[in-house]
Amino acid sequence: MKIIGTVENIIFRNDENMYTVLELETEDSPVTATGIFPSLSEGESIELEGEFKESKYGLQFVAENFRSVGFANIDAIAKFLAGGLFKGVGEGTAKLITEKFKENTFDIIENSPERLAEVRGVSKAKAVEIANSYRNVVGMREAIIYLTEKGLTFNLALKIFNSYKNHTISTMKKNPYKLVEDIDGVGFRTADEVAGKLGIEKNSDFRMRAGFLYVLKEISSREGSTALPFAELLTRGAGVLGINTDEIQDKFEKILADLILERRVVTFNKEEEKFIALSINYNMEKNLAVLLKDIDRNATEVFFDGRKDIEDFEKQENIVLHETQKLAVLSALKSGMTVITGGPGTGKTTIIKCIIYIFNKLGNKFALVAPTGRASKRLSEATGKDASTIHRLLDLDFKNGKGSFSFNADTKLDFNLLIVDEVSMTDVFVMRSFLSAVKFGARVILVGDKDQLPSVGAGNVLSDILQSELFETVMLTEVYRQGKESLIITNAHKINQGEMPDLTVKNSDFFYSKISNQDEMQKRIIEMVTTTLPKFSKTNSKDIQLLLPTKKGIIGVNNLNVALQDGVNPRINGKNEVEIGTNLFREGDKVMQTMNNYQLEWVKADGDDIQFGTGVFNGDIGEILSIDNKSGEIKVLFDDGRNIAYSKTEAGDLVLSYAISIHKSQGSEFDVVIIPVVAGSPQLFTRNLLYTAITRAKKMVVLMGDSYNIKRMINNNYIEKRHTMLLGFLRGEIS
C-alpha cells in the first residue's frame, strides 16, 4: 500500500546505512514510519510504499520504496537547508536564504549558486560549498530513486551509489553490465534486469562480455575453479545469456580477444586443451608457485641432527614417537617447505608440539596459524601456544574501501618458522598473501588432511602441492593409542577407506539412529538437541552442531534452523527480535557469517588485555548478545572472543547456524555433531563429505538415517574436478 505525508520529525537516523525512523503527518493521522531513506528533511512531503506491522513500539509503517513529492512551503525548504546536510548552514542562514529567494531557492542553488553570496553571512566560498552539497544530496537521491525504480533494493542501490557517486545514472544508462565487473554481490541476472528495462539488446557486446566474465567469477567463487576450458566457457556463457552457442561463437571469439587486450583474461594451453582464466586468478596462482619454490630453496641451512632433541621431547611428554612422526619432525627441521598430512588420530598435533619444542630450544621465533578463528583457537588449545588466524597474523587493515595486509611482499613477518594447520581449507588468495609475507630463509610447514573437502574459496592448494611431488611430504597413516580408543576416529578411517562404520557398539562416542521418514527424523533431531543429548553428554544445546549435506528440503539447513531456533532459543518476553530479509534473528541465537567483510570493526577483551581490529569471515560462528529494535543493530560475540556490532544492512550477511552445511564446517570442531543422511544427488552426497562431517566432532557423533543411504554415500567416491593452474605452474607445464 502507499501513503503520502509530510515529515514532521526524524526520530532516529543511522547515517551509515540510512535506516530511519520518522513521524509522518498524513491526511488521516500521524504515522510512525521506518525504512532506508536517502537524505530526508523535516517539512518534506514524501510517498511511501510498504505495509503496516506491529512492533514493540506499536504499529509502524515499514517502507520498502520511497519517492519525494516536494516541500509544502518556504518554511519546509528552510528546515531542509538547516537539517544538517549542508555544512555551515544553520537555522539563521537557512531562513535568510529562503526569505530572499522564496520558492526559487533550489533553482538558485542549482543554477546560480553565486547569488547565494547576496545573503548576509554567506561568502562566495560558502556559496560554492552549499551548491556542491546540494548537488551531492540531490545526486544521491536521484541515483537511488532511479535504481530502485529499476527494481533494485535500497541497500543495493546505496552500494552502487557509493561506488559510482554522481556518475551512477550515466554509468547505468551507458552500460549497466559494469555492475557485474565492479560491484561485489551483483550477479549477471540483476544487471540483466536493469539492462532489459533500459532497452539494451539481448545480443549486445555489453551483455555478452558481462555474461562470460560472470561465468569466470562464479566458477571461482562458487565452485573453486580458477580457469575453464574454452569450450566449457562458451557453453556456460551461452546458458547464462540464453542464446544458442552457434549464434554467439563468432562474437565470443571477438569479445575474448578484446578481454585479452584489456588484460582482463588470459588464455593458456594445458594438456593440449585451450583454457581461459581471469587475469587476477592466473597471476595469483603463478605467483604462488614461485613463492612455494623460493621458500623451499632459500631456507637457512641446518647443521644439527635433531634426534637428541626428539628424545628429550619424548621424555618430557612421556611418549614414544613412531618412526614416521620422527621423520616428519626431521623433515620440517631441514626442509624449507614441508607438508604433513594425515587423518584424525595420526599424531599431527604431537608432531607440531615436538617441532615447536625444538625451535624454542634453538631460540627461533615461530608462528602458529590456521584459516579460521575456530581452527586457530583449537590449535592453541592443543599445543598450549598462541595461535591466530592467517588474516590476523598478516594484520588485516582496511584502506580505500579494500582489505589489505600490513605484512606483505614489502613488509615481511619476523618468524623463522611458520606452521599452518587445516591447510586443506586455505584458498589460493589467502595462501599467496601468507607466503608473500614469509621472510627470506624462513621455513613453512603445511599441516592438514588431504581427504577433507577442498577449500570453499578458489583453488585446490593442498592437492596441487601434493601432486607436484616437489616438496618434502610426510603421509601419516598410523592411528595411535588415543585414536584407537575413539570410535569417531576408527569409523572416520573406515569411511575414508570405503568401509561401513561400526553402527552396533553402544555407550561410546559414536551413535547410530536408524530412521527413514524425514518428518520423523526432524522431530528426533529437535528432541536430541533440546533434551536427550544435553542430558546424556552434559553439553549445552548450542554446543551441539547439526551438519547437513544440503540447504533445501525437510532435512536441509534452512528448514532445520527455523525449527531448532524455536526449540533451542524460543520466543520469550524480554528477548528482542529483528527481521532481516527472510531471516528472523533473536537475542541468544547462534549465527554464522556468510561473506568475508574486511571492514567490520571488532573488539576483543581478555581480562585487562583489550584488542581492536577489523574483519569477519565466511564461516565464523557466534551468538547474538543484543538487538536494538529501533536501529536494528545486532551485537554478536564470536567463538574466538571478537565482539562485533552489525548495522541492519551488514547483518544481511548473517544466518542462523544451529544447522550448517558440511562445507561450512571445515576447520571447525564441535563437542557433539549430528549428521542426518538421506537420499540425495550423487554429486553432493559423497564419501569425503561424510568423512569431513564426522571428523568435525570432538566428543560425540550421532549418525542418523537409513543404513542403505549411508552405504550409498560411502560407496560414492565422486570428487568434483576443479580446474586450477597451480599444479601446472609448479611442474612448468603452464608458462
Side-chain angles (χ1 to χ4, degrees), residues 704-717:
M704 302 180 73
D706 191 298
S707 59
Y708 170 79
N709 288 326
I710 294 170
K711 185 173 180 59
R712 188 165 168 259
M713 199 169 179
I714 292 168
N715 289 340
N716 179 16
N717 203 23

Side-chain angles (χ1 to χ4, degrees), residues 143 145-152 160 164 167-179 189-202 204 206-207:
I145 291 173
Y146 175 85
L147 292 170
T148 53
E149 285 177 346
K150 297 294 179 285
L152 302 182
I160 294 167
Y164 298 134
H167 299 291
T168 298
I169 295 176
S170 61
T171 300
M172 291 300 96
K173 287 181 176 178
K174 182 180 178 182
N175 178 16
Y177 292 103
K178 272 189 69 62
L179 292 173
R189 287 174 180 78
T190 299
D192 209 29
E193 286 179 17
V194 176
K197 291 174 182 175
L198 293 172
I200 291 178
E201 294 293 329
K202 188 177 181 181
S204 70
F206 282 152
R207 185 171 185 269

Side-chain angles (χ1 to χ4, degrees), residues 104 349 451:
N104 296 321
T349 302
D451 296 313

Side-chain angles (χ1 to χ4, degrees), residues 386-587:
D386 288 338
S388 73
T389 62
I390 296 173
H391 290 83
R392 186 177 168 200
L393 183 75
L394 298 179
D395 189 21
L396 178 68
D397 198 2
F398 200 89
K399 298 172 183 175
N400 302 320
K402 293 184 178 179
S404 61
F405 295 113
S406 300
F407 292 99
N408 47 50
D410 298 320
T411 308
K412 302 289 188 178
L413 293 162
D414 187 24
F415 296 103
N416 306 104
L417 171 71
L418 299 107
I419 301 175
V420 186
D421 197 18
E422 292 284 2
V423 73
S424 62
M425 65 182 299
T426 307
D427 64 39
V428 64
F429 299 103
V430 173
M431 183 59 78
R432 182 259 180 190
S433 297
F434 171 69
L435 294 184
S436 68
V438 174
K439 73 177 183 179
F440 186 89
R443 286 174 163 70
V444 173
I445 302 171
L446 306 178
V447 183
D449 185 346
K450 66 180 179 62
D451 296 313
Q452 296 279 355
L453 293 169
S455 63
V456 174
N460 206 9
V461 175
L462 179 58
S463 177
D464 285 350
I465 289 173
L466 289 171
Q467 287 186 67
S468 75
E469 299 181 344
L470 293 178
F471 310 101
E472 188 69 42
T473 300
V474 180
M475 301 274 189
L476 302 172
T477 56
E478 179 74 18
V479 177
Y480 297 100
R481 183 177 59 80
Q482 287 183 320
K484 289 175 180 175
E485 294 171 358
S486 166
L487 202 56
I488 294 175
I489 291 174
T490 302
N491 280 339
H493 283 279
K494 282 187 174 184
I495 289 168
N496 197 34
Q497 292 161 13
E499 301 172 14
M500 278 291 284
D502 189 339
L503 304 179
T504 61
V505 178
K506 305 294 183 182
N507 298 321
S508 71
D509 57 0
F510 194 104
F511 293 88
Y512 170 58
S513 176
K514 180 176 174 60
I515 187 167
S516 301
N517 182 279
Q518 293 191 25
D519 290 318
E520 289 298 317
M521 188 180 285
Q522 177 176 313
K523 291 178 185 175
R524 181 89 55 90
I525 288 168
I526 295 169
E527 180 185 325
M528 281 187 168
V529 174
T530 58
T531 309
T532 310
L533 289 177
K535 286 182 179 178
F536 180 80
S537 65
K538 309 298 183 197
T539 302
N540 187 291
S541 289
K542 289 177 185 174
D543 293 326
I544 299 169
Q545 188 62 57
L546 192 63
L547 300 183
L548 301 155
T550 182
K551 291 183 179 179
K552 297 179 180 178
I554 296 172
I555 305 300
V557 170
N558 299 336
N559 185 52
L560 284 168
N561 262 321
V562 174
L564 285 168
Q565 181 188 42
D566 290 336
V568 176
N569 188 34
R571 180 182 284 115
I572 59 173
N573 291 336
K575 280 193 177 182
N576 290 338
E577 297 180 346
V578 63
E579 281 188 46
I580 299 176
T582 59
N583 291 312
L584 171 69
F585 294 116
R586 187 175 298 144
E587 288 173 342

Side-chain angles (χ1 to χ4, degrees), residues 682-703:
Q683 283 75 33
L684 189 59
F685 286 71
T686 62
R687 180 191 300 173
N688 73 330
L689 192 79
L690 182 58
Y691 171 76
T692 298
I694 286 171
T695 56
R696 299 306 89 205
K698 187 160 56 174
K699 296 179 180 177
M700 183 185 296
V701 165
V702 177
L703 184 62

